[in-house]
Amino acid sequence: MSTDAVITWVDGADPAHRARLAAHLAERGGKPPRAAHSTRFNDAGELEYCIASILRFAPWLRHLHIVTDQQVPALLARLAGTPWAPRVSIVDHREIFAGFEQHLPTFNSRAIISLLWRIPALAEQFVYFNDDMALLRDVAEEDFFRDGRVVLRGQWRTQSQHLLLPRLKAWWRRRRGPHAARVGNLDAQQRSARLAGFEDRYYRLFHNPYPMRRSVLARYFDDHPDLLAHNASFRLRSDEQFKTEALATHLEIGAHAAILDNRLHTVQLKPSEQWLPRMLAKMARADRDPAAAFLVVQSLEMAPVQTQARIAAWLDQRIGRLDTVLAGPTFRD
């Protein structure tokens, strides 16, 4: 069965995008929430490594759908005349938000992801990538879909509503107010699990490319249209939302249609937070570890220039730029 890749991308430096965000914040009023911080929309060139890694390490993917807001990445022009030119498409938010146009423009990845299954001509099986994700080695379709089931990576955890410390932390976040509060990833994963019937525990997903099946989401949202409409309605990330990748995970687990397999793992770099020697050590370990298959580089543009340069040099060597990959033996013939 064919499998597609879906990548969400935004260039926050685009004047038109900045104007749309500023207009929404002015209409909203008050102090901008953390969900509107520029780091959520900045582009530091990660998309090139994401696409280059897919072309190099997963050429079996049928089609790449890049989901954007009235934007086209300039690097796509470099695909012209290559075998990949007809296999990469731009999908505008207006296509997947058909029927929900009142919620556009949106600046909320959770709203966008909840509608990815509506991409026209999307394969039944697809792998969702953030634009700051990349592959670090050859991967096969069986690393994401195997024997008619999805392959998931994560760990079981207790729902925090049953634990005292997380409940106290949640109470403190509410006291600080909505502008200071961080919209928690784990809280959203737990909410998603409960929607699929997991009340006491949840399968915490690791941050790596997420395999999903279009029909599973289509059936669920056909049965729960109000949930989809609610999730799509937030123009900025909200703690009232679920995460579609986590919802899909628990729907598959609940249907006994998932394989839990952590043999491949992610290298996660946080250049704006982590000490450079620590990241250099992570990169060196990744070069020695054949199980290091996925990479996430968060907020690269916020790191010191020297740190950005060191990471880019490693990515150039480990993955390669788009032109380098396209000039390789797989694409020359």
Side-chain angles (χ1 to χ4, degrees):
M1 182 179 292
S2 297
T3 302
D4 286 354
V6 177
I7 307 167
T8 52
W9 174 79
V10 64
D11 178 9
D14 173 18
H17 181 273
R18 294 176 68 175
R20 289 194 291 273
L21 177 58
H24 171 66
L25 293 175
E27 179 182 352
R28 177 190 179 101
K31 182 180 179 181
R34 290 183 61 166
H37 194 283
S38 61
T39 189
R40 295 201 177 278
F41 316 110
N42 287 338
D43 172 38
E46 301 96 332
L47 179 66
E48 178 167 2
Y49 294 111
C50 179
I51 294 176
S53 76
I54 292 172
L55 270 56
R56 178 176 178 182
F57 298 125
W60 48 267
L61 284 163
R62 185 192 70 157
H63 202 93
L64 273 68
H65 306 269
I66 303 174
V67 181
T68 74
D69 178 18
Q70 303 177 54
Q71 298 176 324
V72 177
L75 63 87
L76 290 194
R78 288 145 60 189
L79 292 175
T82 74
W84 274 95
R87 295 172 61 186
V88 180
S89 299
I90 296 297
V91 181
D92 192 80
H93 290 176
R94 290 168 291 189
E95 296 182 69
I96 60 175
F97 274 79
F100 301 104
E101 295 91 343
Q102 68 272 28
H103 305 312
L104 292 177
T106 187
F107 313 95
N108 182 349
S109 61
R110 290 185 186 170
I112 297 163
I113 297 166
S114 63
L115 297 168
L116 294 180
W117 60 275
R118 303 175 92 208
I119 292 173
L122 180 68
E124 162 67 2
Q125 297 179 167
F126 67 97
V127 182
Y128 165 58
F129 291 75
N130 298 141
D131 62 1
D132 62 0
M133 291 179 178
L135 302 173
L136 287 176
R137 47 155 279 183
D138 289 325
V139 292
E141 189 173 40
E142 292 73 25
D143 293 318
F144 302 96
F145 300 94
R146 192 183 311 157
D147 301 325
R149 294 181 287 176
V150 297
V151 180
L152 304 173
R153 298 171 178 88
Q155 59 184 191
W156 285 107
R157 285 195 170 187
T158 301
Q159 289 267 358
S160 61
Q161 60 186 351
H162 302 296
L163 302 172
L164 179 59
L165 182 58
R167 288 166 61 190
L168 290 174
K169 288 182 177 179
W171 170 82
W172 178 246
R173 287 197 300 269
R174 288 193 297 270
R175 278 186 58 88
R176 293 178 64 197
H179 298 295
R182 181 177 181 180
V183 181
N185 169 51
L186 297 186
D187 290 342
Q189 289 202 39
Q190 292 174 69
R191 178 175 294 103
S192 306
R194 293 194 294 272
L195 290 175
F198 290 78
E199 295 292 335
D200 298 324
R201 62 177 186 160
Y202 71 106
Y203 193 69
R204 178 191 175 182
L205 285 173
F206 296 147
H207 198 38
N208 50 217
Y210 305 105
M212 291 186 271
R213 293 194 290 182
R214 181 183 50 78
S215 63
V216 170
L217 293 170
R219 283 195 301 269
Y220 183 84
F221 291 128
D222 280 348
D223 292 337
H224 303 86
D226 292 344
L227 276 176
L228 180 61
H230 185 66
N231 219 56
S233 68
F234 295 92
R235 298 198 183 194
L236 291 170
R237 189 174 295 189
S238 167
D239 59 10
E240 295 183 38
Q241 290 183 289
F242 58 82
K243 287 176 67 75
T244 303
E245 55 271 47
L247 173 62
T249 287
H250 291 87
L251 291 173
E252 298 282 17
I253 293 173
H256 306 289
I259 297 171
L260 310 183
D261 185 350
N262 288 322
R263 284 177 293 179
L264 300 181
H265 65 84
T266 299
V267 178
Q268 191 163 10
L269 303 179
K270 299 181 179 181
S272 64
E273 301 177 17
Q274 296 170 343
W275 194 35
L276 179 58
R278 179 185 176 188
M279 287 188 292
L280 294 175
K282 280 188 171 187
M283 291 185 280
R285 285 196 300 271
D287 287 338
R288 298 190 300 267
D289 183 0
F294 315 113
L295 173 71
V296 175
V297 184
Q298 295 181 314
S299 302
L300 178 61
E301 78 288 343
M302 297 182 67
V305 174
Q306 178 191 13
T307 299
Q308 293 188 43
R310 295 293 293 272
I311 293 174
W314 180 68
L315 292 173
D316 288 347
Q317 180 274 324
R318 185 66 193 254
I319 297 172
R321 301 274 180 165
L322 189 59
D323 295 335
T324 304
V325 171
L326 290 172
T330 301
F331 302 98
R332 283 201 303 264
D333 301 329

